[in-house]
Amino acid sequence: MSRRNRGNAGGTYVNNVRGPTSALTSFLNERGIRRANPAPAPPPENVADNGDDNNEEPASPQDQAAPSSSSSTPAPASSSSRLTRTARLTRGRALPTPSTSASRSNELDGVNDDSDSDDSDSDDSDSDNKNLIPIAVSTSTTRAVRATRSRVAAVASSSSSSNTVASSSAPSSTAKAKAAAAAASKKRPRKKDASDDSDDEDFHDITGHISRSNFSHKGRIPQGSNKIVFCSRCRARFTIKAGTTPAVDEDDGGLLCPSCAGTGSPGPLKNTLPKAKPVKRARRKAQKAEIECHIPTLQDLCIQKIANSIEDVEAFGDISDISLDKICKIISRNRSLNAETLQLFLDARHSELILYDCTDITAIGLQNIAQFCPNLRSLKLKLCGRITNEVMDYYTEHLTKLASLTLIGPILILEHTYIKLFETIGTRFEKFELKGSSRFSLKAIKALCDNCPNITHLRLGDCNLMDDEWLEPIAGLTKLKSLRIRNPEPDKLTTSAVVKLVQAVGSGLEELELKGCNGLTDEVLVDAIRPSCVRVERLNLSGCEDLTTEGVETLFKDWSVNSGLTYINLENCVMLKDEALMAVTEHSGATLEELNLSGMDEITKDALQTLTRCGLKIVGREGDYVDLRFM
Amino acid sequence: MSSLTPAESEYVTLESSDGFQFVIHREVAMLSGTVKNMLSSPGHFTESMEGVIQFRDIKAIILEKVCKYWYYKARHLNSVTEIPHFEIEPEYALETLMAADFLDT
């Protein structure tokens, strides 16, 4: 219960299960109004009712425990306060007698529809649920907390594969069983206290035969109800499909769940798909074993603890910056970096911030970065697809000390936002890295070069609009020390333009990267790099497949103006032969620290022996310095 | 005392940076991907032959927590009854996270 409201910032959660929502639904949800069971009453009515019901309902559930009339329950079912729903579920659990089955079934339907009503967009629910599930894993702890939501969780989990309503439709039983088992395995920590996994089993069996194409809102709720009952032997909760008879325990006349009733002959399921069942059973038993093994990993537990105790920063003690960065990496790797765990890294004293995976950080969370860390000098946001123009403008205004910005994957940012950023930062700007933006245009790069003459590091990768025209303004950046151009669209950058660029800025460059610029010929090496790049220490020409041995030889042979490179990357320069490598080692052998020859399959061991001349530097450090993959 | 060689013994020893030694069941330690690889690698490494692993970056108190977690997991792995929550003190949460990440557990 305590978890319920966590993580609501910017997202929508129904019982901690997030489904796709329209703007209206999310608006209502924030106010505690949930769409109720649409079958008994049309949605607009429910919406109107909900405002009142929210206050009344908490008092009423207990009163409705006894009566089993189905007429009474749709009305409360139409109220959508979370508390009520949960209370009713609790009530349902506490009263396992069949007499209240009708009310419980409507509860169930109400529950179903509550979660279903959020699945308004079939395309979204899949991706949303898929995104949801890892979050759910990492934030779930006590099963008791989740216990009351297990039904909803099971329902939502089975809907994750079908994209639609949970209990009464699903494409194929196998796909559903798999996905539901996978999803249920993630939601396992949420399972009820004494319940068995037979819950999930029954759900799949019940709805196996209704295909997505036959889905209709009316048909969603099976008439005559699914009953939730308790097994008299193992006390597990299970569902009896409408119209089928459950196995009965001879001794005390109580109902038996399928597993107690005997393997391979589930009583309640006799009426459905008898052929498919044995296969389903076997597969499900295997998946059941998987599900039952799921205990959260220690990493997850730690992250949850951190997320919970985030208010209590003192509790964590002193953390060095290196550790903090390491923790950021770990949390990102576990896909748990969200608006809450983010708080751990936001501190007014920080001048540098690197966030490795901002996929789950909403726009508001990203804005918080500027609010909490106004003194940032360097900001690096990886996978920041969610950053909006408003947030970017906010950064522009409030991060007054920002000098270095890295954005990887900012798909939403438009040209004018970039231009505004450059105009505001102006001469302060030193390092700019942008990867993966198809909206960064010529105008933007011109604005950058006009407004920010002090740029020392410029890195542009995967920018679809990049072409020769971009290289002209870049040539005007006289203070450039590091230039990286990665993966432009094939054949958009011509050799002559690149040559001109390198000739213009080459003398100051310490690092030059032209990765993935296929189509570049030896001219770049001979006419541009050789004469101009006197200071360059790091050279990356990977993916430039048209470079020939002669070109490389000409570059490195007697390249006296350059005193030796420390990093050379010739990955996938497939045409290069032994002489090229020999020329490289001849020239830079003494200074070389890292060498990447991956993919150069023409090289023989003779050339490789020259690597021994590379001095101690290349083997002295730790790590992987000579990359000889695919050779 | 078992007459098995250290490589086959039921127990393995994990040593923390501050010199504490934790002797735990081999099976339990194998819940960690890193330890599993260390103990079962085909090469003649000290770890796999002696059954002793030294962690120079992990403090005793953290390593103890991790061992407790492994036993908790091993105990409840196939349980159908309610699994109790495994508590981690907030002051150790960060270091435990780093250790857990290293140990792939």
Side-chain angles (χ1 to χ4, degrees), chain A residues 108-267:
Chain A
L108 175 65
D109 300 338
V111 167
N112 284 351
D113 292 318
D114 279 333
S115 66
D116 298 338
S117 66
D118 288 339
D119 293 343
S120 50
D121 183 358
S122 58
D123 284 340
D124 282 359
S125 76
D126 220 11
S127 58
D128 263 355
N129 279 336
K130 278 185 193 140
N131 288 337
L132 170 64
I133 289 168
I135 300 170
V137 172
S138 64
T139 59
S140 62
T141 46
T142 57
R143 294 161 76 241
V145 169
R146 305 284 182 236
T148 56
R149 293 182 191 73
S150 65
R151 183 57 61 188
V152 178
V155 158
S157 68
S158 58
S159 77
S160 70
S161 69
S162 64
N163 270 349
T164 52
V165 176
S167 67
S168 52
S169 71
S172 74
S173 52
T174 54
K176 203 168 36 73
K178 263 193 213 151
S185 72
K186 308 267 173 136
K187 291 184 167 47
R188 179 170 198 275
R190 298 178 172 195
K191 279 200 94 61
K192 282 169 45 23
D193 299 15
S195 77
D196 202 357
D197 285 331
S198 54
D199 279 343
D200 291 347
E201 231 169 89
D202 294 304
F203 254 154
H204 311 324
D205 290 334
I206 288 165
T207 62
H209 62 287
I210 302 178
S211 72
R212 204 191 297 193
S213 56
N214 295 336
F215 170 71
S216 74
H217 275 272
K218 275 209 185 133
R220 235 191 330 179
I221 303 104
Q223 300 306 315
S225 70
N226 295 328
K227 302 179 186 176
I228 306 172
V229 296
F230 281 73
C231 172
S232 57
R233 204 174 288 167
C234 67
R235 308 307 306 158
R237 194 171 87 159
F238 71 103
T239 312
I240 304 171
K241 186 185 180 214
T244 64
T245 46
V248 175
D249 189 345
E250 270 77 50
D251 296 343
D252 58 1
L255 303 165
L256 289 183
C257 70
S259 35
C260 292
T263 56
S265 60

Side-chain angles (χ1 to χ4, degrees), chain A residues 267-522:
Chain A
L269 312 167
K270 274 189 194 125
N271 299 349
T272 63
L273 294 182
K275 268 189 237 169
K277 239 186 311 130
V279 177
K280 268 199 291 187
R281 280 240 144 218
R283 189 179 293 137
R284 193 133 350 93
K285 278 216 174 344
Q287 287 159 347
K288 201 168 156 174
E290 250 179 63
I291 295 168
E292 293 188 71
C293 289
H294 185 80
I295 294 177
T297 64
L298 187 54
Q299 292 182 63
D300 285 342
L301 285 173
C302 289
I303 294 176
Q304 283 164 36
K305 189 72 197 183
I306 292 169
N308 292 347
S309 323
I310 214 108
E311 306 300 319
D312 241 345
V313 185
E314 291 78 31
F316 293 131
D318 248 338
I319 318 156
S320 70
D321 283 341
I322 300 175
S323 302
L324 209 52
D325 190 56
K326 215 171 149 198
I327 288 169
C328 188
K329 280 188 186 150
I330 296 171
I331 291 185
S332 302
R333 213 182 307 141
N334 278 286
R335 303 182 63 189
S336 306
L337 192 62
N338 50 35
E340 288 171 323
T341 48
L342 179 60
Q343 296 297 321
L344 187 57
F345 307 103
L346 300 182
D347 188 311
R349 291 168 296 170
H350 286 155
S351 60
E352 257 188 50
L353 185 60
I354 305 179
L355 295 176
Y356 296 91
D357 180 359
C358 306
T359 330
D360 289 327
I361 306 180
T362 58
I364 298 177
L366 292 166
Q367 198 165 323
N368 283 345
I369 296 176
Q371 284 167 334
F372 286 101
C373 308
N375 297 322
L376 275 184
R377 296 196 67 244
S378 162
L379 180 61
K380 196 168 183 174
L381 298 174
K382 293 194 176 183
L383 304 182
C384 55
R386 286 194 174 191
I387 191 169
T388 61
N389 292 291
E390 288 76 35
V391 176
M392 203 67 226
D393 286 338
Y394 192 86
Y395 286 171
T396 310
E397 279 174 69
H398 289 86
L399 292 177
T400 52
K401 300 200 185 152
L402 195 65
S404 162
L405 182 62
T406 301
L407 295 171
I408 306 215
I411 49 185
L412 297 173
I413 309 278
L414 301 170
E415 175 189 78
H416 65 84
T417 316
Y418 286 120
I419 294 177
K420 205 153 128 195
L421 173 71
F422 300 146
E423 284 171 358
T424 315
I425 295 195
T427 50
R428 225 195 310 147
F429 219 12
E430 290 169 16
K431 301 188 190 178
F432 183 59
E433 178 170 352
L434 183 67
K435 224 174 136 198
S437 167
S438 46
R439 300 191 188 197
F440 196 79
S441 63
L442 176 62
K443 211 164 151 205
I445 191 78
K446 277 201 180 137
L448 173 64
C449 300
D450 289 339
N451 289 295
C452 311
N454 293 331
I455 288 261
T456 56
H457 291 63
L458 181 62
R459 296 173 182 175
L460 298 168
D462 299 300
C463 293
N464 302 358
L465 298 174
M466 185 188 285
D467 59 13
D468 284 348
E469 290 184 327
W470 286 36
L471 303 186
E472 272 184 49
I474 298 179
L477 295 171
T478 52
K479 301 200 183 163
L480 212 53
K481 285 199 212 153
S482 162
L483 177 64
R484 285 194 194 171
I485 295 181
R486 265 194 203 188
N487 301 329
E489 293 277 300
D491 301 327
K492 270 214 177 159
L493 291 189
T494 62
T495 308
S496 50
V498 175
V499 163
K500 276 200 219 137
L501 170 63
V502 176
Q503 283 171 342
V505 296
S507 51
L509 280 186
E510 290 169 10
E511 174 181 6
L512 176 63
E513 176 174 317
L514 295 166
K515 179 171 167 173
C517 301
N518 51 4
L520 289 187
T521 64
D522 292 341

